[in-house]
Amino acid sequence: MHKTEISEGRQYHIRCKPGDLAKYLLVPGDPERVPKIVKYWDSASEVSYHREFRAFTGTYKGVPISVLSSGIGPACMSIVVNEARLVGVETFIRVGSCGAVQDYIECGDLVILTAAVRLDRTSECYIPLEYPAVANYDVVQALIQACEELGYRYHVGIGCTTCDFYAGQQRPTFQHSQNSNLIETLRKANVLIFEMEAATLFVLSSLYGLRSGAICAVYANRIKDEFKPGAGEENCIKAANEAVKILNEQDTNKRSIR
């Protein structure tokens, strides 16, 4: 065994112990998005804040809920999944931002991912590329229902998770010939967006028998060269919070049938 606990089951990076986090966990990348999420809750208290990992636990419409920021990139998301599962988290929802690679997707729209192209590199440390990165059906359905009930413009489909924001997403850099046709290839394959965490989240959740999904606000359109940071963030947050309430209702109904 190679322990990552520092004391009383408290995990090394996220600094949470069993009981600190609810079974439903929202995962934004940006720690500054955490207070934006909890302002819609009935109650909330800060559990930990270490490096990029900031956590709150509380209730949303009576449902126990937590939020934990992951920082940027797939390696950080791996830390979140590996450590949060050890303290009781069962369902993860990424609450992120993204860049569209389809011209019909507008800045401010929301994108719900059903799966992700595995250019994250991190998930390859766990299992070969032939293993799919897919979201959990229950989580996808809850996010769709939340967007429908709230009246938000949204898209559902496949994203592409990259390990790098610049050359990895075909932005001008020192050298990026390896990815020179990436955007066009993804566009033709009906991939919707670039982002940097979902594939890792989906793969690890599946491997551990957990549920996960992702909803992202579109900050950029790479085809139309538009960039609007913050566009759709509030709607993305509201939809994710509401999806937890919906999931809890569904989970409660399933348990009563059994």
Side-chain angles (χ1 to χ4, degrees), residues 240-257:
N241 277 324
E242 196 65 16
V244 168
K245 186 203 72 153
I246 293 167
L247 277 169
N248 180 70
E249 292 170 352
Q250 294 174 351
D251 293 344
T252 301
N253 290 336
K254 288 178 184 176
R255 286 193 296 269
S256 66
I257 292 173

Side-chain angles (χ1 to χ4, degrees), residues 79-92:
I79 288 172
V80 165
V81 178
N82 275 289
E83 297 191 3
R85 72 182 180 89
L86 295 176
V87 300
V89 174
E90 299 175 3
T91 300
F92 298 79

Side-chain angles (χ1 to χ4, degrees), residues 178-213:
Q178 182 179 353
N179 296 311
S180 59
N181 296 315
L182 180 59
I183 289 179
E184 184 61 16
T185 299
L186 294 174
R187 189 188 67 78
K188 288 181 178 179
N190 295 311
V191 172
L192 303 184
I193 61 168
F194 276 130
E195 55 82 57
M196 296 183 66
E197 287 85 23
T200 308
L201 172 62
F202 295 166
V203 169
L204 267 63
S205 297
S206 295
L207 291 175
Y208 289 130
L210 306 170
R211 301 189 301 187
S212 65

Side-chain angles (χ1 to χ4, degrees), residues 91 93 135-145 211-213 243-244 246-248 250-251 254 258:
T91 300
I93 300 179
N136 176 269
Y137 180 80
D138 292 342
V139 180
V140 171
Q141 285 295 104
L143 288 167
I144 291 172
Q145 183 177 333
R211 301 189 301 187
S212 65
V244 168
I246 293 167
L247 277 169
N248 180 70
Q250 294 174 351
D251 293 344
K254 288 178 184 176
R258 293 171 188 163

Side-chain angles (χ1 to χ4, degrees), residues 6 11-15 46 48-55 68-69:
I6 54 176
Q11 297 301 305
Y12 175 61
H13 295 94
I14 66 173
R15 298 296 166 96
E46 189 167 41
S48 64
Y49 196 172
H50 181 241
R51 299 186 182 184
E52 61 266 56
F53 307 108
R54 187 179 190 184
L68 170 64
S69 55

Side-chain angles (χ1 to χ4, degrees), residues 57-68:
T57 290
T59 60
Y60 174 76
K61 297 186 176 179
V63 179
I65 187 173
S66 292
V67 58
L68 170 64

Side-chain angles (χ1 to χ4, degrees), residues 110-129:
L110 303 181
V111 174
I112 298 166
L113 295 182
T114 57
V117 179
R118 287 176 59 188
L119 298 185
D120 64 312
R121 302 293 185 260
T122 300
S123 62
E124 294 177 56
C125 297
Y126 294 82
I127 198 161
L129 282 169

